[in-house]
Amino acid sequence: ENRSDFPGSFDGSNWTADLTYKRKFGEYLNALVGLNMVNDKATLENDEEFTIVDPYLNLVWTGPHGLNLNGGLRVNIHSTYGTLGVYHLNPSYAYKFEKGYLKVMGSWATAYITPSLAQLYGAFGANPELEAEKNRTLEAGLELSLNTGVRISGLFFDRREENTILFDNADFIYFNAGEPVRVKGFEWELIWEWTAGGRVGLNYTFTEPEGANAIRIPKHKFNAVAQTPLGKRFSALVRYSYTGTRTDTDFTTFTQVELEPFSLVDLRLDYVVMPGKLDAFISASNLLNESFTEVLGFQTPGRNLMIGWSLKL
């Protein structure tokens, strides 16, 4: 039920079934074959539905000398927009030495995003000619792990998106964008588990978006987290995140707007009341009550305090 200046109620159902079969061939090869079926129904302007049938196959080869290969195929058969094929290939090689290992890894994958029933047949801008969004992602990176609890990784990524589903306010209709979106960049991560229950994590992502529809993607993003035990029963966690400037679209004027960068600090304290049974915590998100914008025209939460507990029976 939608309670607003444009009220309405909608009834719908979703049925999903998944049949899988696993088998091991020899010592190193594992296979998974399956069939996924989805049926979505909704009462919109009329009673509408679509059906998805997806057969898929995945193979995993784990070599005896550190070489691994994961590959798969999936066929998306949709009752509205037809048939799509997607695949993925993920090779990796780990070289082990006395103090840890060095891993080389990569990925080449495609994917899709199905338009919803409301986008295809709803009362507000529906377009039954919509096609699925299509994505292609390439990744390559290195990971170094040491027995001292230190893990360092670096990853290059290149993602291309086509047929992005957008809404045209002038013509009041959903449509597939003609211009592709491309996002490429580099991510670096450092994790140090310096003691039992204590760790430090840092990561930085540089992203270069291309295309008019590549909105709300910061060029610079940084996160840091530190967790430490405070005696036998207490532990504390502090998290800091920085999000750089982003470009958003003001959909009232269809002009580009630059969003200001912002930083957030979160804090959490945990206390073990009964070891293995009862834990309690208090947490504060946006501890400094930072005012910021994630999406133009939408509010964001200020300081938020939460107290809770968990009981294991």
Side-chain angles (χ1 to χ4, degrees), residues 196-233:
R199 66 185 179 97
V200 174
L202 305 171
N203 71 68
Y204 166 76
T205 305
F206 172 81
T207 307
E208 193 70 57
E210 298 177 5
N213 300 314
I215 59 176
R216 308 183 191 118
I217 302 174
K219 180 171 288 188
H220 304 284
K221 192 171 181 65
F222 174 77
N223 295 282
V225 61
Q227 183 176 10
T228 183
L230 301 173
K232 294 182 178 181
R233 293 181 179 265

Side-chain angles (χ1 to χ4, degrees), residues 61-69 91-94:
W61 189 77
T62 306
H65 304 295
L67 180 63
N68 301 302
L69 185 62
S92 67
Y93 174 75

